[in-house]
Amino acid sequence: MTEATRHTPGTPCWVSLMVHGLDATQTFYGELFGWEFCPGPRQLGPYVRALLDGKEVAGLGRLPADRHLSIAWTPYLATDDADATAETIRCSGGTVGVGPLDAGDAGRMAIVTDPAGAVFGLWQPAAHAGTAVRGTHGTPVWHELRTADTSAVSKFYETVFGCETDPVDPAGPDLTTLRLNGRPVAELRGVGRKLHSQAGAHWMTSFEVEDADRAARRVTELGGEVLTPPSDGPRGRSATVADPEGAVFTIVRSHR
């Protein structure tokens, strides 16, 4: 287990999930990842923070009963100034759906979308710096944006966050890595017509597990669904799964 240090602006620093059944969702992820929970800021309703060995990993919140939104994990990208970044997003073809607003003394946040419609958050830390641990079972390990065409959004992330991007090989897959100070922080994957018409462009979060096959079986036992069975890939052995409310994520035993 490694304690996370300060997150460079533009780096994924937190993940949050808004659901209808908060208690049941805590049970699912508690059993799957070994998370424990403590109360968090309640500006947007009931909210808890997931902990591993007392260190903050992710957030879970309850949607109002009359809000029928897509249930999905949302990554937050670090910023030193949420208001300025939100304004840059507006000027770069994105939209700001919520905020910026203060989350108690924890920090300042906003919920935004890129020009392709993929939702993500902004986090300006104060008392809460974001995910405090990495590299162990149950921690976020990687984030991937799935969109129709990476060229349509890569300039957006370059402009807003100062990311560098790898050139796309015309003969290969539409895949580019976002880098900050030379370090890879996320990936953009263009899937063309394969992008599900209902899901649209979206960010996908991967969580580290000790054993991808065992974790996939556990997802099913807990009422979730395995969408793509475990297989070996460039980042390790992984599977795509969904929790009981339909939030899709990846479990991976990564190469470390």
Side-chain angles (χ1 to χ4, degrees), residues 198-220:
Q198 292 183 343
H202 62 280
W203 280 94
M204 178 78 76
T205 296
S206 296
F207 291 92
E208 181 79 28
V209 293
E210 295 173 351
D211 184 316
D213 295 81
R214 186 168 65 237
R217 290 193 296 270
R218 191 69 179 125
V219 165
T220 301

Side-chain angles (χ1 to χ4, degrees), residues 60 164 177 185:
L60 301 175
E164 307 102 32
T177 301
V185 296

Side-chain angles (χ1 to χ4, degrees), residues 27-155:
T27 298
F28 174 84
Y29 287 101
E31 292 288 339
L32 181 63
F33 292 143
W35 289 351
E36 297 178 334
F37 301 92
C38 70
R42 300 174 67 90
Q43 274 69 18
L44 300 179
Y47 190 85
V48 297
R49 290 179 181 155
L51 310 174
L52 282 172
D53 292 336
K55 301 185 185 303
E56 296 165 335
V57 174
L60 301 175
R62 178 181 292 132
L63 286 167
D66 60 347
R67 296 293 297 277
H68 301 291
L69 303 176
S70 175
I71 308 299
W73 280 100
T74 301
Y76 284 69
L77 306 188
T79 176
D80 288 335
D81 188 331
D83 295 81
T85 303
E87 185 58 32
T88 302
I89 285 170
R90 290 189 185 97
C91 295
S92 303
T95 60
V96 178
V98 177
L101 54 83
D102 290 328
D105 63 354
R108 192 161 174 79
M109 55 84 68
I111 302 296
V112 301
T113 61
D114 69 19
V119 178
F120 64 97
L122 301 177
W123 185 252
Q124 178 185 332
H128 172 62
T131 300
V133 61
R134 61 190 177 198
T136 192
H137 182 86
T139 58
V141 66
W142 189 242
H143 301 273
E144 179 183 280
L145 172 62
R146 297 184 181 180
T147 188
D149 176 12
T150 63
S151 65
V153 294
S154 60
K155 291 295 184 183

